[in-house]
Amino acid sequence: MQLNHVFTMEFLKKCVLIRKACTTVYFWRNQAIQKPSIRRISTTSSRNTVMPAWVIDKYGKNEVLRFTRDMMLPIIHYPNEVIIKVHAASVNPIDVNMRSGYGATALNMKRDPLHIKTRGDEFPLTLGRDVSGVVMECGLDVRYFKPGDEVWAAVPPWKQGTLSEFVVVSGNEISHKPRSLTHTQAASLPYVALTAWSAINKVGGLNDKNCAGKRVLILGASGGVGTFAIQVMKAWDAHVTAVCSQDASELVKKLGADDVIDYKLGNVEEQLKSLKPFDFILDNVGGATETWALDLLKKWSGATYVTLVTPFLLNMDRLGIADGMLQTGVTVGSKTLKHFWQGVHYRWAFFMPSGAYLDDIAQLVDEGKIQPVIETTFPFSKVPEAFLKVEGGHARGKTVINVI
């Protein structure tokens, strides 16, 4: 009996200790979850789950653009993502083309590679690729950014865009905004800068160590990509020849172009043939230029022609994914081989999202070697007018949207 009594007393003591421990743990967890949440991103009410945005519900002309105050707030799905409060965005030709359905086949495959969703599930779709703004929330794996940081980025075209109050991007797609730029200025650069960087550096192989003295030709030099390309080539001490219309010649000269060719003044091919051969050609125009531009390169010297106007997305829209990719492979392969045997390199380049490249670009900006070239600025309420401006062509820099 006495032994049983001892066991009973010990058992009761353990129960009391366990209960106290449970109570302590429960109290600690209650205290732990009381800390303020980082996600306080609404500009109106803490209970808001929607935001203003410009969206499309189908592909078509400019009238498909629709303003809504009821777009769902983006949320973090992956631990490497961040939410940005958009201060400024911009409109690029890719946005106008996407509004009309260009690239929908390939982009939908990227959004839904297993074909789980139904057709049209990408809507409502927010356009806009560039963003400059402030970090509001970070995923658990984000190490280099924190709420309150001013950042810039170019959002890949298969993701929801930046013509909205908030946008989600991957941590490896963003960079700290150049300190010397406002949000409006910063929003003019990421997409065109990364597109040009892809063509010049990653595909063309040019950099600050091997570019000095090289002769570079830029076709379509007065648009967003062209104006950036002129500046980065001059920062790397290349000799730049720019092709544009006469009314843009003053702009490209100011950016550093050594020679300017007016395509309205006569036959561009003949004007360029009167100059020395080139080491590198960046083609923002495409079409018929490809038939003669490669003849302007130095033969058997490693000279390279890079075009940003490719049939890749168009082939997939027209032929479907499998046949489109096959046709694309045959086209680029045959052209590359043909020109290789003629002593020059033929390449395609595409936009590449990259926070690391934006870090390099931000350094050039803060050193004063790159400046934003903005043609027009629109308020957030005038997004359709901005699309019409870009759709009209003949750009002299970028079209920027002030969201705030």
Side-chain angles (χ1 to χ4, degrees):
M1 287 291 292
Q2 198 170 16
L3 189 61
N4 287 338
H5 177 70
V6 171
F7 280 136
T8 303
M9 291 301 293
E10 288 296 322
F11 176 75
L12 289 172
K13 284 180 182 178
K14 286 182 180 179
C15 287
V16 170
L17 288 173
I18 291 171
R19 182 173 180 81
K20 283 183 177 179
C22 289
T23 303
T24 304
V25 170
Y26 177 76
F27 175 78
W28 175 81
R29 286 181 61 84
N30 274 340
Q31 292 299 309
I33 63 173
Q34 294 301 316
K35 69 179 182 178
S37 171
I38 295 172
R39 188 179 174 86
R40 295 182 184 276
I41 60 177
S42 172
T43 58
T44 51
S45 164
S46 60
R47 297 180 181 178
N48 250 12
T49 57
V50 294
M51 64 177 179
W54 283 92
V55 301
I56 61 172
D57 301 302
K58 61 180 179 180
Y59 300 116
K61 296 184 178 180
N62 215 47
E63 57 268 17
V64 300
L65 287 166
R66 173 175 67 87
F67 178 73
T68 177
R69 294 187 180 277
D70 299 320
M71 188 68 172
M72 292 298 295
L73 276 176
I75 61 173
I76 289 175
H77 290 283
Y78 301 100
N80 68 330
E81 291 182 331
V82 302
I83 294 177
I84 299 173
K85 182 173 177 62
V86 181
H87 283 232
S90 77
V91 179
N92 293 285
I94 184 67
D95 298 306
V96 175
N97 292 334
M98 285 178 62
R99 182 207 66 195
S100 302
Y102 171 75
T105 302
L107 296 177
N108 282 337
M109 180 186 70
K110 181 68 176 177
R111 294 176 186 124
D112 181 29
L114 299 179
H115 299 288
I116 296 171
K117 300 176 182 177
T118 58
R119 184 180 178 86
D121 211 52
E122 69 268 31
F123 302 118
L125 180 63
T126 306
L127 301 173
R129 310 272 57 90
D130 294 302
V131 58
S132 181
V134 176
V135 174
M136 301 303 292
E137 183 178 352
C138 298
L140 295 175
D141 287 351
V142 176
R143 296 287 179 264
Y144 300 104
F145 305 95
K146 63 184 184 303
D149 284 352
E150 293 190 329
V151 295
W152 64 341
V155 181
W158 54 87
K159 295 185 178 182
Q160 287 286 18
T162 61
L163 294 174
S164 57
E165 190 177 11
F166 300 97
V167 67
V168 169
V169 298
S170 295
N172 58 7
E173 294 167 354
I174 67 173
S175 168
H176 289 101
K177 178 181 75 65
R179 295 183 301 276
S180 58
L181 299 186
T182 65
H183 285 296
T184 299
Q185 292 171 322
S188 70
L189 279 171
Y191 186 82
V192 294
L194 288 172
T195 303
W197 198 269
S198 166
I200 294 166
N201 180 258
K202 305 315 294 181
V203 176
L206 300 180
N207 55 56
D208 58 342
K209 295 178 177 61
N210 66 8
C211 209
K214 288 192 182 294
R215 291 182 52 78
V216 173
L217 172 63
I218 299 175
L219 300 167
S222 64
V225 173
T227 53
F228 178 86
I230 291 171
Q231 295 181 84
V232 77
M233 290 285 88
K234 293 307 298 178
W236 294 344
D237 296 321
H239 181 284
V240 176
T241 299
V243 176
C244 59
S245 64
Q246 191 277 331
D247 61 335
S249 61
E250 198 62 38
L251 169 65
V252 298
K253 284 179 183 175
K254 183 180 176 182
L255 295 175
D258 299 286
D259 297 316
V260 179
I261 302 296
D262 180 4
Y263 66 81
K264 292 183 178 179
L265 203 58
N267 187 296
V268 178
E269 181 182 358
E270 294 303 319
Q271 292 184 70
L272 290 170
K273 279 183 176 178
S274 67
L275 304 176
K276 293 180 181 178
F278 297 95
D279 299 289
F280 180 82
I281 297 176
L282 175 60
D283 188 356
N284 299 300
V285 178
T289 59
E290 192 175 295
T291 61
W292 51 261
L294 284 100
D295 295 330
L296 304 172
L297 291 169
K298 295 178 183 177
K299 308 295 184 186
W300 306 107
S301 66
T304 304
Y305 165 93
V306 178
T307 180
L308 291 165
V309 185
T310 76
F312 174 60
L313 295 179
L314 197 61
N315 281 344
M316 296 183 73
D317 287 337
R318 186 168 54 90
L319 302 173
I321 293 171
D323 289 344
M325 292 182 73
L326 178 62
Q327 179 64 53
T328 298
V330 169
T331 300
V332 69
S334 61
K335 288 184 176 182
T336 300
L337 195 59
K338 170 190 170 184
H339 293 295
F340 176 77
W341 290 116
Q342 294 174 357
V344 295
H345 297 293
Y346 173 92
R347 299 286 185 269
W348 289 358
F350 304 91
F351 159 76
M352 294 172 60
S354 171
Y357 298 159
L358 283 175
D359 288 342
D360 295 335
I361 294 164
Q363 183 177 344
L364 289 171
V365 171
D366 283 333
E367 290 173 353
K369 296 177 180 178
I370 303 288
Q371 58 179 301
V373 181
I374 299 174
E375 184 179 15
T376 318
T377 303
F378 288 89
F380 194 47
S381 59
K382 301 291 185 182
V383 165
E385 286 88 337
F387 269 75
L388 289 176
K389 167 69 184 68
V390 174
E391 193 169 13
H394 305 291
R396 303 291 177 263
K398 287 295 294 293
T399 297
V400 177
I401 307 294
N402 283 321
V403 178
I404 291 182

